[in-house]
Amino acid sequence: MRILVTGGCGYIGSHTAVELLNAGYEVVIVDNFYNSQPNVVDKIKTITQKDFAFYEEDCCDEKAMRKIFSEQKIDAVIHFAGYKAVGESVEKPLAYYRNNIDSTLVLLSVMKEFGCRKFVFSSSATVYGDPASLPIKEDFPLSTTNPYGTTKLFIERILTDIAYAEKDLSVALLRYFNPIGAHESALLGESPNDIPNNLMPYIMKVATKQLPILNIFGDDYDTPDGTGVRDYIHVVDLALGHIKALEKLEHETGVLIYNLGTGKGYSVLDLVKTCERVNHVEVPYQIVGRRPGDIAACYADPTKAKEELGWTAEKGIEEMCRDSYNFVIKNI
Ligand code: UD1
């Protein structure tokens, strides 16, 4: 099977490309390097010792997508490419709607033209908004609080409508919790160019003294230590979830929805302390006000993915913290 991985040089896309190649799939990557580095192509080849086709193109460019599909016999698409910064999406909603939704529509129309009928979408637990209870199950009500999250929710709805109309289409909506960690080779990981928005990249900048102090956004939440609780998942476990979803799509049509999380919640302070302990570093922090739009706690009920896909996250929080740090110190 040949899989088109859009955004395959990005953080989650690159780890998934590695696991696909390791599992014996043929891979075609398309990436425009908007938020990724060209050297990731060679790093994936180094890790896997396998070759694959790469296209530097924008997924909104229909002509370019058509060229890829005419040159490669694509059996399934895993769509990672997209803008993902929450704050920026509030400033530039038009850019977010254009890019994230257009790219998906272009891919779906080209897939239809070329008879490619399997689509795995990179969704997010952000579609659950502020959940009424925990852990979060797939049938919880959906809502969003920012344009980034709304693009994910709209795309889920678009895919659901198209799968209803086109009965031969198979779609997996994978709702990620909080991916952290890096490849054990330390060749792939998350390396934001600017000041990071997300917690783990920020902790890493502080641990390596590139930034002086971590701001913890609130210690007065209704959680065990007052700081926000999230379901952190190792990016390699997350990548493996995509392989399981693809296997499932071989035999099913319609829309399948899965939470990809560990089911365990850790607080901001848990993560800071674990990073300090396992990496023998200091992460100075100060408590500041809550970040607008943040929720107290969010973690998955991963039972459906376990029962239907045979997938569970294996790697623990210590390994996540170690792998994140190893990647960062080797790539400063
Ligand atoms: C954020 C996004 C979410 C997106 C996800 C993945 C917001 C409100 N939500 O989720 O839509 O899908 O990233 O990219 O941005 N924290 C600090 N200090 C920091 C950074 C974070 O204390 O410098 C805290 C947060 O308050 C939160 C936890 O760390 O309690 C995790 O934050 P983050 O990594 O940004 O993830 P989410 O907020 O879960």
Side-chain angles (χ1 to χ4, degrees):
M1 254 180 110
R2 188 172 298 165
I3 318 297
L4 179 65
V5 183
T6 78
C9 294
Y11 176 46
I12 307 172
S14 58
H15 287 85
T16 304
V18 164
E19 297 308 325
L20 285 166
L21 289 161
N22 284 344
Y25 289 91
E26 285 183 66
V27 166
V28 176
I29 289 182
V30 56
D31 200 302
N32 65 357
F33 302 128
Y34 175 79
N35 192 21
S36 60
Q37 305 301 325
N39 63 8
V40 168
V41 174
D42 285 334
K43 289 178 173 184
I44 296 170
K45 290 180 183 173
T46 303
I47 291 169
T48 60
Q49 292 295 302
K50 291 196 176 148
D51 204 6
F52 55 86
F54 172 77
Y55 293 85
E56 183 178 347
E57 299 290 359
D58 188 320
C59 295
C60 295
D61 181 343
E62 188 156 350
K63 214 171 133 217
M65 292 307 107
R66 218 178 259 128
K67 181 169 183 285
I68 296 175
F69 276 77
S70 63
E71 288 179 6
Q72 308 281 344
K73 162 92 189 69
I74 305 289
D75 298 297
V77 174
I78 309 184
H79 185 33
F80 293 104
Y83 295 165
K84 61 170 189 177
V86 173
E88 186 185 58
S89 79
V90 177
E91 308 292 318
K92 302 179 188 168
L94 180 58
Y96 271 67
Y97 288 116
R98 276 288 346 209
N99 183 63
N100 291 5
I101 294 179
D102 274 3
S103 60
T104 310
L105 295 178
V106 163
L107 286 166
L108 285 161
S109 96
V110 174
M111 282 172 62
K112 187 172 184 197
E113 190 180 327
F114 285 85
C116 175
R117 302 282 70 199
K118 295 181 200 321
F119 194 87
V120 177
F121 179 57
S122 188
S123 190
S124 165
T126 194
V127 300
Y128 295 114
D130 193 353
S133 65
L134 293 165
I136 299 172
K137 286 178 182 292
E138 286 83 351
D139 60 1
F140 274 27
L142 305 178
S143 70
T144 56
T145 53
N146 57 71
Y148 156 75
T150 309
T151 67
K152 294 290 180 195
L153 185 54
F154 282 178
I155 293 167
E156 286 202 359
R157 297 234 164 106
I158 289 167
L159 288 164
T160 306
D161 287 343
I162 297 178
Y164 180 79
E166 299 176 11
K167 298 292 185 206
D168 57 347
L169 190 67
S170 313
V171 173
L173 307 178
L174 303 183
R175 294 178 180 155
Y176 311 152
F177 283 70
N178 291 56
I180 60 171
H183 195 263
E184 60 176 2
S185 64
L187 289 172
L188 302 175
E190 191 175 19
S191 46
N193 294 328
D194 298 332
I195 294 187
N197 299 306
N198 295 118
L199 179 60
M200 186 54 119
Y202 208 108
I203 291 177
M204 289 300 130
K205 292 265 183 197
V206 176
T208 51
K209 303 198 185 323
Q210 299 176 79
L211 286 172
I213 193 162
L214 169 72
N215 291 316
I216 295 187
F217 300 138
D219 67 350
D220 56 353
Y221 285 105
D222 184 14
T223 59
D225 64 21
T227 66
V229 166
R230 297 291 185 273
D231 184 338
Y232 297 98
I233 173 169
H234 197 293
V235 65
V236 172
D237 276 331
L238 189 64
L240 291 167
H242 293 72
I243 315 277
K244 294 290 188 181
L246 264 185
E247 286 170 8
K248 182 84 174 166
L249 291 189
E250 285 204 40
H251 313 288
E252 306 249 356
T253 55
V255 179
L256 303 168
I257 306 176
Y258 298 104
N259 285 340
L260 296 185
T262 65
K264 295 190 191 77
Y266 290 97
S267 73
V268 176
L269 283 173
D270 288 334
L271 204 64
V272 169
K273 299 289 169 208
T274 310
C275 280
E276 289 189 321
R277 183 166 45 80
V278 302
N279 298 314
H280 313 289
V281 291
E282 277 179 42
V283 180
Y285 64 83
Q286 60 188 357
I287 308 293
V288 299
R290 291 182 179 192
R291 181 170 66 179
D294 266 356
I295 57 176
C298 170
Y299 51 89
D301 180 340
T303 311
K304 191 170 176 230
K306 182 176 184 186
E307 287 179 358
E308 295 187 13
L309 301 180
W311 173 88
T312 37
E314 306 284 341
K315 294 173 186 285
I317 196 76
E318 296 190 347
E319 195 168 350
M320 299 182 212
C321 291
R322 228 177 353 246
D323 287 346
S324 285
Y325 185 71
N326 278 341
F327 171 74
V328 170
I329 45 166
K330 292 198 177 120
N331 292 275
I332 285 178

mmCIF file of all heavy atoms in Angstrom, residues 304-326:
data_model
loop_
_atom_site.group_PDB
_atom_site.id
_atom_site.type_symbol
_atom_site.label_atom_id
_atom_site.label_comp_id
_atom_site.label_asym_id
_atom_site.label_seq_id
_atom_site.Cartn_x
_atom_site.Cartn_y
_atom_site.Cartn_z
ATOM 1 N N LYS A 304 -11.999 2.787 23.209
ATOM 2 C CA LYS A 304 -12.499 2.452 21.866
ATOM 3 C C LYS A 304 -11.326 2.083 20.939
ATOM 4 O O LYS A 304 -11.394 1.087 20.199
ATOM 5 C CB LYS A 304 -13.281 3.647 21.306
ATOM 6 C CG LYS A 304 -14.060 3.325 20.056
ATOM 7 C CD LYS A 304 -15.002 4.463 19.672
ATOM 8 C CE LYS A 304 -15.712 4.162 18.368
ATOM 9 N NZ LYS A 304 -15.631 5.274 17.415
ATOM 10 N N ALA A 305 -10.250 2.866 21.006
ATOM 11 C CA ALA A 305 -9.085 2.556 20.164
ATOM 12 C C ALA A 305 -8.477 1.209 20.556
ATOM 13 O O ALA A 305 -8.005 0.447 19.709
ATOM 14 C CB ALA A 305 -8.037 3.662 20.269
ATOM 15 N N LYS A 306 -8.520 0.896 21.843
ATOM 16 C CA LYS A 306 -7.971 -0.393 22.292
ATOM 17 C C LYS A 306 -8.823 -1.536 21.751
ATOM 18 O O LYS A 306 -8.298 -2.508 21.199
ATOM 19 C CB LYS A 306 -7.940 -0.422 23.822
ATOM 20 C CG LYS A 306 -7.346 -1.692 24.366
ATOM 21 C CD LYS A 306 -7.237 -1.684 25.870
ATOM 22 C CE LYS A 306 -6.539 -2.955 26.314
ATOM 23 N NZ LYS A 306 -6.503 -3.101 27.755
ATOM 24 N N GLU A 307 -10.141 -1.402 21.907
ATOM 25 C CA GLU A 307 -11.021 -2.508 21.519
ATOM 26 C C GLU A 307 -11.114 -2.676 20.008
ATOM 27 O O GLU A 307 -11.106 -3.791 19.495
ATOM 28 C CB GLU A 307 -12.412 -2.283 22.111
ATOM 29 C CG GLU A 307 -12.404 -2.544 23.611
ATOM 30 C CD GLU A 307 -13.752 -2.314 24.285
ATOM 31 O OE1 GLU A 307 -14.721 -1.908 23.595
ATOM 32 O OE2 GLU A 307 -13.822 -2.522 25.502
ATOM 33 N N GLU A 308 -11.207 -1.548 19.286
ATOM 34 C CA GLU A 308 -11.462 -1.658 17.843
ATOM 35 C C GLU A 308 -10.189 -1.660 17.001
ATOM 36 O O GLU A 308 -10.167 -2.209 15.906
ATOM 37 C CB GLU A 308 -12.383 -0.514 17.395
ATOM 38 C CG GLU A 308 -13.767 -0.630 18.022
ATOM 39 C CD GLU A 308 -14.756 0.381 17.460
ATOM 40 O OE1 GLU A 308 -14.465 1.009 16.421
ATOM 41 O OE2 GLU A 308 -15.822 0.547 18.080
ATOM 42 N N LEU A 309 -9.134 -1.013 17.504
ATOM 43 C CA LEU A 309 -7.890 -0.953 16.714
ATOM 44 C C LEU A 309 -6.805 -1.857 17.283
ATOM 45 O O LEU A 309 -5.796 -2.102 16.625
ATOM 46 C CB LEU A 309 -7.342 0.483 16.678
ATOM 47 C CG LEU A 309 -8.236 1.584 16.109
ATOM 48 C CD1 LEU A 309 -7.517 2.928 16.166
ATOM 49 C CD2 LEU A 309 -8.631 1.265 14.667
ATOM 50 N N GLY A 310 -6.997 -2.292 18.516
ATOM 51 C CA GLY A 310 -5.933 -3.047 19.179
ATOM 52 C C GLY A 310 -4.738 -2.163 19.474
ATOM 53 O O GLY A 310 -3.592 -2.609 19.485
ATOM 54 N N TRP A 311 -4.998 -0.890 19.739
ATOM 55 C CA TRP A 311 -3.911 0.071 20.003
ATOM 56 C C TRP A 311 -3.988 0.620 21.418
ATOM 57 O O TRP A 311 -5.070 0.988 21.878
ATOM 58 C CB TRP A 311 -4.017 1.250 19.022
ATOM 59 C CG TRP A 311 -3.049 2.365 19.322
ATOM 60 C CD1 TRP A 311 -1.773 2.484 18.872
ATOM 61 C CD2 TRP A 311 -3.287 3.516 20.153
ATOM 62 N NE1 TRP A 311 -1.189 3.639 19.375
ATOM 63 C CE2 TRP A 311 -2.111 4.280 20.161
ATOM 64 C CE3 TRP A 311 -4.378 3.959 20.896
ATOM 65 C CZ2 TRP A 311 -1.983 5.466 20.871
ATOM 66 C CZ3 TRP A 311 -4.259 5.137 21.618
ATOM 67 C CH2 TRP A 311 -3.067 5.888 21.597
ATOM 68 N N THR A 312 -2.849 0.622 22.094
ATOM 69 C CA THR A 312 -2.752 1.368 23.359
ATOM 70 C C THR A 312 -1.393 2.056 23.396
ATOM 71 O O THR A 312 -0.420 1.549 22.832
ATOM 72 C CB THR A 312 -2.814 0.464 24.618
ATOM 73 O OG1 THR A 312 -2.114 -0.741 24.333
ATOM 74 C CG2 THR A 312 -4.204 0.177 25.083
ATOM 75 N N ALA A 313 -1.362 3.190 24.066
ATOM 76 C CA ALA A 313 -0.090 3.900 24.235
ATOM 77 C C ALA A 313 0.755 3.122 25.237
ATOM 78 O O ALA A 313 0.265 2.719 26.285
ATOM 79 C CB ALA A 313 -0.356 5.311 24.740
ATOM 80 N N GLU A 314 2.026 2.891 24.895
ATOM 81 C CA GLU A 314 2.899 2.054 25.732
ATOM 82 C C GLU A 314 3.885 2.867 26.556
ATOM 83 O O GLU A 314 4.333 2.422 27.607
ATOM 84 C CB GLU A 314 3.731 1.112 24.842
ATOM 85 C CG GLU A 314 2.936 0.245 23.868
ATOM 86 C CD GLU A 314 2.251 -0.914 24.567
ATOM 87 O OE1 GLU A 314 2.669 -1.249 25.686
ATOM 88 O OE2 GLU A 314 1.282 -1.463 23.989
ATOM 89 N N LYS A 315 4.260 4.020 26.058
ATOM 90 C CA LYS A 315 5.382 4.744 26.671
ATOM 91 C C LYS A 315 4.905 5.664 27.789
ATOM 92 O O LYS A 315 3.911 6.364 27.638
ATOM 93 C CB LYS A 315 6.135 5.546 25.609
ATOM 94 C CG LYS A 315 6.833 4.656 24.584
ATOM 95 C CD LYS A 315 7.425 5.493 23.462
ATOM 96 C CE LYS A 315 7.999 4.645 22.345
ATOM 97 N NZ LYS A 315 9.277 4.020 22.670
ATOM 98 N N GLY A 316 5.640 5.659 28.881
ATOM 99 C CA GLY A 316 5.251 6.429 30.069
ATOM 100 C C GLY A 316 5.809 7.851 30.051
ATOM 101 O O GLY A 316 6.608 8.230 29.183
ATOM 102 N N ILE A 317 5.422 8.588 31.060
ATOM 103 C CA ILE A 317 5.751 10.020 31.132
ATOM 104 C C ILE A 317 7.268 10.250 31.245
ATOM 105 O O ILE A 317 7.803 11.215 30.702
ATOM 106 C CB ILE A 317 4.979 10.677 32.310
ATOM 107 C CG1 ILE A 317 4.970 12.194 32.184
ATOM 108 C CG2 ILE A 317 5.504 10.240 33.661
ATOM 109 C CD1 ILE A 317 4.033 12.712 31.160
ATOM 110 N N GLU A 318 7.976 9.320 31.918
ATOM 111 C CA GLU A 318 9.434 9.512 32.072
ATOM 112 C C GLU A 318 10.140 9.395 30.720
ATOM 113 O O GLU A 318 11.024 10.190 30.392
ATOM 114 C CB GLU A 318 10.000 8.477 33.049
ATOM 115 C CG GLU A 318 9.421 8.674 34.439
ATOM 116 C CD GLU A 318 10.098 7.844 35.494
ATOM 117 O OE1 GLU A 318 10.860 6.920 35.134
ATOM 118 O OE2 GLU A 318 9.857 8.120 36.684
ATOM 119 N N GLU A 319 9.716 8.406 29.950
ATOM 120 C CA GLU A 319 10.317 8.227 28.621
ATOM 121 C C GLU A 319 10.008 9.433 27.733
ATOM 122 O O GLU A 319 10.858 9.885 26.951
ATOM 123 C CB GLU A 319 9.764 6.935 28.005
ATOM 124 C CG GLU A 319 10.552 6.463 26.819
ATOM 125 C CD GLU A 319 10.176 5.050 26.395
ATOM 126 O OE1 GLU A 319 9.427 4.359 27.129
ATOM 127 O OE2 GLU A 319 10.639 4.640 25.310
ATOM 128 N N MET A 320 8.792 9.955 27.866
ATOM 129 C CA MET A 320 8.424 11.140 27.077
ATOM 130 C C MET A 320 9.356 12.298 27.411
ATOM 131 O O MET A 320 9.868 12.991 26.524
ATOM 132 C CB MET A 320 6.977 11.555 27.372
ATOM 133 C CG MET A 320 5.930 10.506 27.030
ATOM 134 S SD MET A 320 4.258 11.147 27.367
ATOM 135 C CE MET A 320 3.408 9.636 27.837
ATOM 136 N N CYS A 321 9.569 12.513 28.721
ATOM 137 C CA CYS A 321 10.403 13.643 29.157
ATOM 138 C C CYS A 321 11.866 13.444 28.733
ATOM 139 O O CYS A 321 12.542 14.379 28.311
ATOM 140 C CB CYS A 321 10.323 13.811 30.677
ATOM 141 S SG CYS A 321 8.704 14.380 31.223
ATOM 142 N N ARG A 322 12.331 12.205 28.823
ATOM 143 C CA ARG A 322 13.716 11.904 28.431
ATOM 144 C C ARG A 322 13.919 12.108 26.933
ATOM 145 O O ARG A 322 14.878 12.744 26.497
ATOM 146 C CB ARG A 322 14.044 10.451 28.809
ATOM 147 C CG ARG A 322 15.345 10.332 29.526
ATOM 148 C CD ARG A 322 15.704 8.947 29.997
ATOM 149 N NE ARG A 322 14.700 7.926 29.857
ATOM 150 C CZ ARG A 322 14.104 7.309 30.884
ATOM 151 N NH1 ARG A 322 14.414 7.635 32.131
ATOM 152 N NH2 ARG A 322 13.216 6.363 30.672
ATOM 153 N N ASP A 323 13.004 11.592 26.145
ATOM 154 C CA ASP A 323 13.160 11.694 24.686
ATOM 155 C C ASP A 323 13.049 13.144 24.205
ATOM 156 O O ASP A 323 13.774 13.558 23.288
ATOM 157 C CB ASP A 323 12.128 10.816 23.973
ATOM 158 C CG ASP A 323 12.466 9.332 24.107
ATOM 159 O OD1 ASP A 323 13.603 9.013 24.512
ATOM 160 O OD2 ASP A 323 11.592 8.489 23.812
ATOM 161 N N SER A 324 12.149 13.911 24.814
ATOM 162 C CA SER A 324 12.045 15.338 24.443
ATOM 163 C C SER A 324 13.381 16.037 24.691
ATOM 164 O O SER A 324 13.887 16.769 23.841
ATOM 165 C CB SER A 324 10.979 16.054 25.287
ATOM 166 O OG SER A 324 9.689 15.714 24.856
ATOM 167 N N TYR A 325 13.963 15.770 25.853
ATOM 168 C CA TYR A 325 15.213 16.450 26.232
ATOM 169 C C TYR A 325 16.375 15.996 25.350
ATOM 170 O O TYR A 325 17.171 16.824 24.878
ATOM 171 C CB TYR A 325 15.515 16.187 27.706
ATOM 172 C CG TYR A 325 16.715 16.952 28.217
ATOM 173 C CD1 TYR A 325 16.660 18.326 28.387
ATOM 174 C CD2 TYR A 325 17.899 16.292 28.527
ATOM 175 C CE1 TYR A 325 17.759 19.035 28.845
ATOM 176 C CE2 TYR A 325 19.010 16.990 28.990
ATOM 177 C CZ TYR A 325 18.932 18.362 29.147
ATOM 178 O OH TYR A 325 20.025 19.057 29.596
ATOM 179 N N ASN A 326 16.464 14.701 25.123
ATOM 180 C CA ASN A 326 17.557 14.192 24.268
ATOM 181 C C ASN A 326 17.524 14.831 22.898
ATOM 182 O O ASN A 326 18.561 15.181 22.331
ATOM 183 C CB ASN A 326 17.432 12.673 24.084
ATOM 184 C CG ASN A 326 18.030 11.947 25.262
ATOM 185 O OD1 ASN A 326 18.810 12.529 26.006
ATOM 186 N ND2 ASN A 326 17.639 10.693 25.437
#
